[in-house]
Amino acid sequence: MAQVKVLTKNIDLANVGAPCDYQRYMDNGGYEGAKAAFAKQPQEVQQIVKDSNLRGRGGAGFPTGLKWSFVPMNFTGQKYLVCNCDEMEPGTFKDRALLYGDPHQLIEGMLIAAYAMQMTVGYIFIRWEYRKGAALVDAALEEARKNGWLGKNIQGSGFDFHLETHLSAGRYICGEETALLNSLEGLRANPRSKPPFPQIKGFLGQPTIVNNVETFGNLPHILAHGAEWYKKMGTETSAGTKIMGASGRVKNPRLWELPLGVSLRELIYDYAGGPARSGQDIKAVIPGGLSTPLLVPDEFDTLMDFDSVAKAGSRLGTACIIVFDQGDNMVEATENIMRFYRRESCGFCTPCREGIPWIWNMVNAITQREGKEGDMELMAEAGRWLSHTFCAFAPGAQGPFLSALEKFRGEFEEFIRARGAA
Amino acid sequence: MIPQTLKTELTEYVKHYPSERVGLITVMHKLQKHYGGWLPDEAIAEAAEIVGIPEPEVEGVATFYNWFFREPVGRRIIVVCDSISCHLCGCDRLVEHFKKRLGIGMGETTADGEYTLLPVVCLGNCDQAPSIMIDEETYNRVTPEKLDEILEQLSAESAKGES
Amino acid sequence: MADNIKITVDGQVVETSAGENLLQACINAGILVPHFCYHEALGEAGACRLCAAMVSASADKPARLEMTCMLKAADGMVVSLNDPYAEGFRKGVIEDLMLNHPHDCPVCDEGGECSLQDMTVTTQHIHRRTRFPKRTYENQYLGPLVHHEMNRCITCYRCVRYYRDYALGDDFGVFGSRDRVYFGRVRDGVLQSEFSGNLIDVCPTGVFTNKIFREVYSRPWDLQTRRSVCVNCSVGCNVLPAFRHTTFRRIVPERNDEVNRFFMCDRGRYGGEFTNVPSRLKTARFEGPCLPVEEVTARTAAKLKQIAAEHGGGAIAAIGSPRASLEANAALSMLMKSLGGRISMFANNAERDAVRRATAITVSGELNIASLPEMEKADFVLCVGGDVTGEAPMMDLSIRQAQRAGAPVFIISPRAGKLDSFSTNSLRVKPGEESSVLDHVLSGSVPPKGALSGEQTDFAEALISALGSAKHPLVVCSVLHEDIGVVDAAYWLAKRASRLDRKCAIAFMFPSANSVGAALLRDDVAPETLHADISAGKIKALVVLERNLALDGSPFSDIEAAFSKVEFTCAIDFHENATTQQASAVVPCASHYSSFGSFLNYEGRAQRFDSLPIPGEWSRSAGEMLLSLVEATGNEEAIGEAAFSDVYEITPESNTALEALAVGDLGNRVRLAGKLPVAKSPRRNLQTATHNGLVAWNIELCFGSEELSMLHGPTRELAPQPFVELNPADAESRKLSEGEVADFSADFGLVAPLRLNANLAPGVIAIPVLKTETAIVPEEVKA
Ligand SMILES: Cc1cc2nc3c(=O)[nH]c(=O)nc-3n(C[C@H](O)[C@H](O)[C@H](O)COP(=O)(O)O)c2cc1C
Ligand code: SF4
Ligand code: FES
């Protein structure tokens, strides 16, 4: 499949460089989607998004139109729109490109969503490490305000939208949408229980929609060209294009915009150029950011769309793949993965707070050649319970962990047998 | 005590939110900058007063997030991404090199108070791994040799700033 | 009302109401669902993950592992706790929690009542399978009451949910993250909440423990307990005082669903240390030497009879006690009756009038009297004339729950207390002026120009509008400031606010644990009348029951002067104090927690308390001591089959209920028989007298103003040093500044460091009530 340029029509993914400014954005069809939206009733805009089959790009792939439909439209109080630009999932670097490369596209996308749900206040939640990007967005917000795309009575429509950036202070859990809302409120970023869902009771207890940067990025194009046009890209259940990426042991690590449904093999070998190190074949891939289970070579024909990857026992996630080659040791990789989850757990619920460090301790001991017989069973048992935690963080750790344990069992056992050898 | 102008600025700033507490994290970032990169007890009390919440709430936030420091840190903060892609691409070598060159390991500050070295979650530069960040600047595909250049350039900058 | 539904739990059909928390529904049905973070008062958190079970919406639907605390019961639900997968998961959760637990059970002060230990055994996690180092934390100094041992923490978040979210304390929090979550204060220091001791009970393991109890630790199963009622205020929380051998060790709250339910205040929890006071009286004395109790009783009886014979019954009087039991005061009253003497219960006429009026309102049955759980459900609260935190601490905690649920809280009083920080509207007035503001609210008409200040009008208007939309309004009124005008104003307000569709509840805060009982005593003599008779030399014999006259603000406070006019004085008490020291005869009795009897709490609720039989004649309850005195006078016939309703102004039905009352009952409210005669008294009490432009106001402190908790133990440590307070404007006009030692000896008889308080009404000098008396160690203990 060939690369496409929808979300990236103003961005050179090989070299993001300076952001697309207002003038260039307008010259290239900017705010056409917003104009199209304002010409319709909010409910019609929602319907178009629903019809487009757009699914959330934050990792879970939840249908965006459906998510929006839970917002009570007859609610007269304040409703909020939030953009999730936390992007701290290891191996994921797509939102960065969209944020730094084309801030107006994000602003326009949020404006369309805000109008569709009649939300008059919005925040762009940005991780602290992207603070330079936040400054670029601030500049773009100023341009948008000056040109009447934000503020009061936007383009004479009578609709007001106030949008600003909000810098976080760093924690992976802030990406989880309810933890994000707590963080936005100035609280500790522990997740909240659902129900109530944010659409009903979110930011400050008001109806709130949280969407990913890339999800918003799709909206101007859907509105400008229509749902039918959009659905022609991608697969039946995974419409549209996706910013995909590859990092790790590939010759050509970078991002591409591709229709959903491209094969994993094509991504690895054609786009990313195959193994980076000569003589070391690819032996495993994490398909969509660190929290998705590993796929091995005989699964590389899997198509990169939500349902196909799920069928293969993993998840499309962020569609940014992490590639391991034969020279990589999967025990050490697992140690690194579990170290990350241990460090980033919010500490709220038991299996995550206690179980992950325990597993890490065991994996770490194994890498130090201090593994013991029985560790495999113990790790598998502790890992099994990670699916019943308060939020999706620990299940995210469970995916790569259990798949590594299962698919590279031999490597673990070898290390355990080598006890005392290090 | 912080200067009255800063206090007024922050007090006004938090008022623009629908609830003042929404401004807490921004206020803490600004106080951290004012106090030389970390939050002493006094800063916790100031933030509590500005936002109008009890101190333990601020302390709870200060000790939750990775980027708030309750102990003094170096003038520059170096964070090394140690997430999976950077791990694959050799971030450990960089950490070793820092140890050799600056004499500090993860979580430590150089004796002259110039640098603090910390691990960080994936910087979103996985295609350019390994990646590090020093203050606001991101450096990609860093090698030990490149690291030497960066550090030399920074110390030259610091020297210029001091003279 | 919620619909009744049926769910199935491990094959057992359980009835519950739709929407009930599923975990609670199981517990209510007597089914143990392991859990830590869920707490009936605090609700669910979903943090511990221990309450997991396989749950399906109905028998034909697939089951999933769910946290029962996070679900609401729905008709047809099928819950399987004993599913092997769920059991395995719960065992895994316990194993996770035990990875870092110090396993210090043999020396742990939670041992025997540790929920973690129970759950560990319940889930059958028996063997340790981890081999890694455990994390450790440093503990904090949290003050004299609560000990901190963070290594035992299992991170259920109950402590912070209780302290911050439930009790609204602002000096405690949760810090850190990942596998280093810490619960405590920002830095070492005394916990500021008056309800901090409940941390001990909400913590399922031994992180927060009773610092006093652990000093001389006993294993809980070696303790002996009997159900009792707290003596430290008029709320009447149910408690379990515990003894090891014969020494008092600790108090924990005991559940009474109509009173305190789960919690109690720190004054009550730690205020029982008076039981161990070194000045405990263990011997009887008669005119000097120590003698056996029977000897002293016999000689006292003889003396009383002799005086009655010589001077007539009118020469004999008794002073009863609002903190002694109904039974003890009844026995004293009967002793007087048999000798022809009189009894007086109160400190002064103003207190007597106010307490008797409030009691009449409380037990007349006319208005709704709010229990603590009812207070929590109020949707409007008005507090009049006092400081709830200091006067009836657990009412404060209940009002905080109402406030949390959205009830507006209005407070009108001379000085802001802790509750004011949660109030919607607070108004500062001079003592006594509460009633004039409320009178205007009552009249509903526009007050005459100038009658109320702008601030007062605003308060009154806000109050009227909030009251108007309330469905369950509540008025709480203080009786501790001896102002009958305030009592009347609160009564009229509650009465007028009651309409067909809603009743306004009322609750009075009384000075003592059994004030209502004391007020109901028939034939009570006014204190000033008795005092006049004593001064005139008409009284030749005086019996004092459990009253330290030096501290009660009565005309008898100068004990030496009063007793010098009386030929024979007998004091019955459990500890040596200024009164026993001056008495001709001293009869020791059991202290409250070694004593049995009944109290009427602020609701007029009769509650029976029990004690362990403790050997030693000195540890018989005051009531028993008095009965033996009656016996020794040879007048037991006169008492015969006397009923409570012969002594107290209560209905025969109340008498029957009172006699049937058992320890551990929810208790029942007595009803007034006839009308309690309340003396007409001036609207303004003694305190409203102005000196030097200032009116005195008593600060009733949680720690410091209650006599028994000030006798001994950490509650005494928490009392402040004497001080006085002025509004900054008053200080300025008098050229006084914060911290300086101010001399008010001419007008108010005190010299103390000055505190400025902007939340004190202008023109008021606030003086803390500090019931400190240097403990008097009896000779035989010293030796
Ligand atoms: C631990 C964790 C981290 C997450 N991090 C992010 C993130 O960085 N960015 C993001 O958009 N979504 C993240 N998510 C997903 C969000 O919870 C949420 O589903 C998403 O923001 C919704 O946006 P979408 O519907 O547009 O995909 C994360 C979820 C979890 C459980
Ligand atoms: S967190 Fe847990 S035990 Fe605690 S009550 Fe709930 S899920 Fe249950
Ligand atoms: S793994 Fe290091 S930048 Fe992503």
Side-chain angles (χ1 to χ4, degrees), chain C residues 724-746:
Chain C
V724 289
E725 275 184 4
L726 287 182
N727 181 285
D730 290 320
E732 203 184 348
S733 65
R734 286 167 179 75
K735 305 219 165 12
L736 293 170
S737 54
E738 169 85 28
E740 81 173 88
V741 177
D743 186 349
F744 289 102
S745 48

Side-chain angles (χ1 to χ4, degrees), chain A residues 5-315:
Chain A
K5 275 196 152 302
V6 178
L7 275 77
T8 57
K9 68 177 181 183
N10 298 320
I11 309 171
D12 174 8
L13 284 177
N15 177 23
V16 172
C20 173
D21 63 16
Y22 181 72
Q23 199 49 53
R24 182 152 71 89
Y25 189 71
M26 293 310 280
D27 293 348
N28 212 356
Y31 289 98
E32 287 300 329
K35 277 184 211 156
F38 282 131
K40 299 186 166 62
Q41 288 303 310
Q43 254 89 357
E44 290 175 73
V45 178
Q46 286 191 32
Q47 193 56 47
I48 292 169
V49 173
K50 208 178 244 177
D51 293 344
S52 76
N53 281 346
L54 171 66
R55 293 171 67 167
R57 304 298 197 233
F62 194 83
T64 305
L66 183 60
K67 181 167 175 172
W68 290 6
S69 68
F70 297 124
V71 174
M73 286 306 286
N74 52 1
F75 184 86
T76 51
Q78 185 68 53
K79 293 178 281 196
Y80 294 98
L81 184 66
V82 177
C83 171
N84 187 344
C85 184
D86 194 56
E87 195 169 64
M88 288 176 81
E89 171 120 344
T92 301
F93 48 105
K94 64 181 184 74
D95 294 342
R96 177 187 201 113
L98 296 174
L99 188 80
Y100 282 70
D102 198 358
H104 278 289
Q105 176 172 261
L106 172 60
I107 296 168
E108 186 182 352
M110 289 189 75
L111 174 59
I112 293 165
Y115 175 75
M117 289 169 287
Q118 296 289 295
M119 294 167 162
T120 56
V121 177
Y123 298 99
I124 307 172
F125 184 95
I126 304 174
R127 68 178 292 193
W128 178 243
E129 292 85 346
Y130 288 1
R131 54 196 184 280
K132 275 195 154 178
L136 300 177
V137 178
D138 283 337
L141 287 170
E142 204 42 55
E143 287 176 322
R145 275 183 214 116
K146 255 203 310 247
N147 291 288
W149 293 107
L150 287 175
K152 288 209 175 314
N153 188 19
I154 294 167
Q155 304 291 317
S157 64
F159 179 68
D160 302 342
F161 186 46
H162 172 84
L163 182 61
E164 59 179 284
T165 55
H166 186 101
L167 280 170
S168 175
R171 274 320 277 273
Y172 169 58
I173 192 63
C174 292
E176 197 283 330
E177 64 179 352
T178 60
L180 182 146
L181 294 174
N182 275 338
S183 184
L184 198 57
E185 287 184 20
L187 299 162
R188 292 160 60 82
N190 293 126
R192 300 175 177 175
S193 65
K194 295 189 273 194
F197 287 90
Q199 294 94 308
I200 313 293
K201 258 174 159 311
F203 181 61
L204 300 173
Q206 306 295 103
T208 303
I209 280 288
V210 182
N211 275 132
N212 172 258
V213 177
E214 189 183 347
T215 311
F216 285 121
N218 278 284
L219 299 174
H221 311 289
I222 293 173
L223 266 289
H225 304 292
E228 286 311 312
W229 165 85
Y230 187 79
K231 274 198 289 198
K232 286 201 193 96
M233 298 179 289
T235 70
E236 181 144 2
T237 56
S238 299
T241 70
K242 179 83 192 74
I243 315 290
M244 301 194 190
S247 66
R249 303 293 185 197
V250 286
K251 211 172 266 164
N252 181 22
R254 57 162 282 187
L255 297 168
W256 305 270
E257 183 174 8
L258 294 165
L260 280 157
V262 63
S263 90
L264 178 56
R265 189 176 301 283
E266 198 179 339
L267 191 59
I268 300 169
Y269 290 94
D270 298 350
Y271 286 99
R277 301 195 284 194
S278 59
Q280 305 280 21
D281 270 352
I282 308 290
K283 79 167 170 192
V285 165
I286 293 181
L290 197 66
S291 62
T292 54
L294 286 157
L295 295 175
V296 288
D298 57 12
E299 294 163 317
F300 286 177
D301 288 325
T302 304
L303 302 185
M304 291 292 280
D305 62 73
F306 291 106
D307 300 322
S308 306
V309 185
K311 212 179 284 160
S314 186
R315 288 189 302 114

Side-chain angles (χ1 to χ4, degrees), chain A residues 171 188 343 350 354 375 388, chain C residues 85 131 135 176-178:
Chain A
R171 274 320 277 273
R188 292 160 60 82
R343 207 163 69 199
T350 305
E354 310 290 344
D375 279 358
H388 304 296
Chain C
Y85 185 77
R131 61 178 187 279
R135 70 170 163 244
S177 68
R178 52 183 78 94

Side-chain angles (χ1 to χ4, degrees), chain A residues 171 188 190 193-194 342-355 357-358 361-362 365-366 370-372 375 378 381-382 384-391 419, chain C residues 45-49 65 67 70 84-85 88-97 99-100 129-133 135 153-157 174-181:
Chain A
R171 274 320 277 273
R188 292 160 60 82
N190 293 126
S193 65
K194 295 189 273 194
R342 171 196 192 153
R343 207 163 69 199
E344 292 302 311
S345 165
C346 86
F348 186 69
C349 72
T350 305
C352 178
R353 182 187 62 248
E354 310 290 344
W358 189 27
N361 261 315
M362 289 189 267
I366 294 169
E370 285 168 7
K372 274 189 168 178
D375 279 358
L378 222 46
E381 195 182 325
R384 179 183 187 192
W385 305 133
L386 296 179
S387 35
H388 304 296
T389 46
F390 191 77
C391 81
R419 183 175 164 81
Chain C
C48 76
R49 315 306 284 174
L65 188 85
M67 300 307 131
M70 302 300 284
Y85 185 77
F89 176 72
R90 294 198 301 265
K91 189 169 172 174
V93 168
I94 292 289
E95 179 162 33
D96 279 343
L97 291 173
L99 292 173
N100 283 292
R129 299 191 292 178
T130 175
R131 61 178 187 279
F132 300 101
R135 70 170 163 244
C153 180
I154 57 163
T155 325
C156 67
Y157 289 78
V174 48
F175 314 121
S177 68
R178 52 183 78 94
D179 56 347
R180 291 198 68 79
V181 180

